[in-house]
Each structure stands twice: as C-alpha cells, then as structure tokens.
Amino acid sequence: MLLTRCGTSATAIHTVRQRWPAAFPTLAVKPATRWLHQTSPAHSPFTIAPLPERKFVRVQGSDAVSFLQGLMTNDMRHLEHSRTVYAMFLKANGRVFCDTLIYKRPGAEPADYLLECDAAVAPRLEKHLKLYRLRKKVQVEQDATYRVWAAFKEAVQEEEEMPAASELACPEGRLHVFKDPRLPRLGYRVLTDEQEPNECKTRLKRIFPEAETVADSALPYTAFRYSLGVGEGETNLPDGKCFPLECNCDLLHGVSFHKGCYIGQELTARTYHTGVIRKRLMPLELDAPHRLADCDPEALRDAEIKNEEGGAVGKLRGLAGNRALGLLRIEKVLPEGKPLTINVAGESVVRCRTNKPAWWPKEMNARP
C-alpha cells in the first residue's frame, strides 16, 4: 500500500527505507540510468519489389471527380487531403468487378488521376469506364508512363514508425512515393517513369538506402501480402465471384458508407448494416507447399479448403510459396489452430492453418 501511494521511483523507495528500515531489509533499487552504449533495436530494412503485372488507367477532365464518385465504393473527396485512396468497382449485382488504388497523377492538373489495377484488367476497366462516361467531360485511356514498385518491411519493431511519404523524395523527381492507404504494414507504392530497370534500382536505393531490392519478381511482396491476409488483383478477387466486404474492403478503408449512390451500393450497404459477413479473405500457412508446385493453375483456382471433419470451409484464392489466401467461413475456422487441408482435384491433400489477422477488429460481426 505504501509503495502504491508513493510510486515505484527510486526516490520513493529510498524514503520508505529511511522511515521503516526494519520492514524493508532487502529492498533494492534498480538504477533507471540509460547508458550511452545502450541502443534500441535496429530498424528492419525495406524490401523493394517490382509489380510488373500492375498497370494504370488514366481518368482526367473537369468532371473526373463526380464521374468516379458514382462508380466506385470509396469517396473521391478523401483525395482533398490525401494523395491516394483504395476502392473497388462493382457490378450492378454488388459483386466485385475489380479493385484499384487511385493516385493523383504526379505533376498534373487537379482533376487528373491514375487508377492502378492488374494488367489483364486494365483494358476491361477502360471499357467499363467509357461505358458510363456519357456526356461527362472526362477522358479515359490506359497510361504506360509509370511502373509501380512496392516498398515494405516484413518485420516491424513495436515502437518503429514508418516515415511519411513526403519525407521519401527523389531529388530528380523521377520517383513518386505514396503511402499505401490500406494498412500501414503494406508500406509504400513507388511510381517511376524510369523505364530502364538498372537506373530505376539506383534511384530507389537513394530513397531506401538499406533496402533489399528484388530484381524481377513480385513474389516476396505477394507472399508478404498473403501473410497479412490482404487480397489484390484478379487472382484474389476474381471478376463477379466475390463481394467487397468478403474481400475486407471495409476493413482496408476502401468503402464509404456516407457518400451518395454508386453502382452496386444497395447490396453492399445492406450487408454492412446487418452487421454479418460470414466469409472473408484470410491468410493461410502451408506445411508442405512443394506438393502443390507442379499443380495445374486451373486446378488450384478455387481449390476447396476443408476442416478436420471433412467439411468444406472455403476456397483457395491465391498461393505464393508457403503462404496462401483463402475465402473462409469465419465461424468454422476460428478460434485459431484448427487444422485445415487444401484439396486439389486429382492431387494430394496439403495441410494448412489460418489465423485472425491482427488488423481485424475483435468482433467480426460488429461493424468496424
């Protein structure tokens, strides 16, 4: 009680010992000095990976904001105080058409935006947007000016803070750094108009001097993204086969429930306000991923995931090394630790397990 009142500082303990020496014969004071040679753990290095399968569709014109506002899940007004937003384009039945990261085009007029999407999706997205253009004063076209890279940290110290995107600037202005709006752990997107790979790596090293640059593969980033349980692109979000809230669009700051109408809004809003989303994209870790290395990609697509009783609990949505992504029924796979299996037609069964991502709210049936 005395220690509670006086606190646990060295001064308080010394006062107690002076007044009641018999009661505290062995009470020791631990010095609170921080020595100069004691340093905090070193920050983990960035990994930089190219994303060659990501392309851009450019939307520009005086009506660009109102045009996109009526087509996507997020609110374009967020770009008044940020440089990028995450959103999805939906079909009329509320299913996902594609996901996108929307950037203010570097060095351009205010109503000029770049929509990042999968390379295979870009022609369809361009056609989709032109279908709804009508008499709006906008121009829609694919843009090959920029290449995109991802800069991320696989391990982040508990007290480590990621620098603001504005602090990571290239003196020549050839690289443009954007903080990923979905999750802090996803790091940064870097847009470069430098088409020569070696020159681009040199410039990236100036911004991230201790980074490990991956030359020609997006695999490290994909595996890292799967470990977080974040889907991206047509492989993870197949056209017309999933709903935005199942893909965690609400938890990744990709949908606004306060803006006006947009295509697919009715079902999305109704699902959200009922407060129940039974299936969501979740991370998977495989015990023997090499057994799926030679599988036909078509056979892996939508491979069934079962629990130990043999009941179906979801479908495979992506595989990268020993990491994968699955669309799983939440109540059947949580609490964590329940053994699961990936079952590919005509192939061996591979054991796996899932976990609840740390960035999810505690109660998944409650609105985040």
Side-chain angles (χ1 to χ4, degrees):
M1 177 66 74
L2 289 170
L3 288 178
T4 302
R5 289 182 179 179
C6 297
T8 57
S9 66
T11 304
I13 295 175
H14 180 69
T15 302
V16 171
R17 290 192 64 187
Q18 281 188 328
R19 294 185 180 181
W20 298 280
F24 300 93
T26 61
L27 193 61
V29 178
K30 187 175 181 179
T33 306
R34 182 178 179 85
W35 300 102
L36 294 177
H37 68 270
Q38 293 178 343
T39 58
S40 58
H43 289 183
S44 55
F46 278 98
T47 297
I48 303 176
L51 305 180
E53 297 303 317
R54 302 288 283 180
K55 301 297 180 184
F56 295 97
V57 174
R58 182 180 181 183
V59 178
Q60 61 176 322
S62 58
D63 292 337
V65 172
S66 61
F67 171 66
L68 292 172
Q69 184 80 333
L71 296 176
M72 68 181 206
T73 57
N74 215 334
D75 195 332
M76 284 293 292
R77 290 173 294 186
H78 292 325
L79 287 169
E80 295 174 3
H81 51 79
S82 63
R83 299 171 64 219
T84 180
V85 298
Y86 176 61
M88 290 184 180
F89 291 97
L90 308 181
K91 293 176 174 289
N93 61 4
R95 294 179 182 268
V96 175
F97 175 74
C98 73
D99 66 325
T100 182
L101 286 165
I102 302 178
Y103 308 90
K104 292 180 178 177
R105 196 173 193 276
E109 295 297 324
D112 198 344
Y113 304 99
L114 292 174
L115 281 58
E116 180 195 322
C117 61
D118 271 8
V121 173
R124 289 192 283 113
L125 178 57
E126 180 188 16
K127 183 178 178 181
H128 176 78
L129 295 175
K130 286 182 175 179
L131 180 66
Y132 292 97
R133 182 174 53 182
L134 302 177
R135 295 184 179 180
K136 292 279 189 180
K137 296 178 181 179
V138 293
Q139 296 178 9
V140 180
E141 60 185 354
Q142 294 185 57
D143 192 319
T145 305
Y146 296 98
R147 299 177 62 192
V148 61
W149 298 68
F152 60 97
K153 293 187 176 185
E154 294 194 38
V156 179
Q157 300 293 338
E158 193 169 320
E159 299 179 355
E160 185 176 351
E161 292 185 6
M162 301 284 272
S166 58
E167 299 174 12
L168 305 171
C170 179
E172 296 87 352
R174 303 295 297 274
L175 301 182
H176 307 278
V177 182
F178 298 83
K179 203 161 190 176
D180 197 307
R182 295 171 292 182
L183 292 176
R185 284 295 309 276
L186 287 173
Y188 306 90
R189 282 293 216 265
V190 183
L191 274 57
T192 172
D193 59 2
E194 178 61 67
Q195 300 301 319
E196 175 57 41
N198 292 331
E199 183 64 28
C200 185
K201 292 175 197 174
T202 302
R203 297 182 190 278
L204 285 165
K205 278 288 190 179
R206 294 178 190 172
I207 300 178
F208 305 98
E210 299 180 359
E212 301 172 0
T213 303
V214 182
D216 301 309
S217 173
L219 182 62
Y221 175 70
T222 303
F224 170 70
R225 185 165 52 77
Y226 286 178
S227 72
L228 297 178
V230 177
E232 178 181 288
E234 190 174 30
T235 300
N236 307 148
L237 288 66
D239 182 7
K241 291 188 177 181
C242 53
F243 294 97
L245 303 189
E246 292 179 348
C247 301
N248 300 318
C249 187
D250 52 335
L251 307 182
L252 294 171
H253 314 293
V255 56
S256 171
F257 296 100
H258 306 289
K259 60 177 280 187
C261 296
Y262 57 89
I263 295 175
Q265 183 246 6
E266 183 179 354
L267 180 60
T268 305
R270 185 166 67 246
T271 303
Y272 172 78
H273 288 295
T274 61
V276 178
I277 299 96
R278 293 182 174 83
K279 295 184 291 184
R280 283 190 181 267
L281 284 180
M282 298 181 67
L284 293 168
E285 187 173 3
L286 282 62
D287 291 338
H290 62 276
R291 298 172 66 179
L292 298 177
D294 298 326
C295 288
D296 180 9
E298 290 301 321
L300 278 175
R301 195 184 302 273
D302 289 339
E304 203 166 41
I305 300 172
K306 297 182 178 181
N307 57 20
E308 55 186 340
E309 290 82 23
V313 296
K315 291 184 180 296
L316 187 66
R317 281 288 189 258
L319 178 65
N322 70 327
R323 296 290 185 175
L325 206 61
L327 182 63
L328 306 177
R329 295 187 68 87
I330 300 170
E331 76 280 1
K332 292 190 176 182
V333 297
L334 295 180
E336 304 168 13
K338 295 181 179 180
L340 304 172
T341 57
I342 297 175
N343 301 263
V344 183
E347 304 288 342
S348 57
V349 174
V350 176
R351 292 176 64 86
C352 63
R353 54 194 172 275
T354 188
N355 64 279
K356 181 180 178 179
W359 48 274
W360 279 18
K362 291 182 179 180
E363 297 294 333
M364 286 311 303
N365 283 342
R367 284 177 290 210

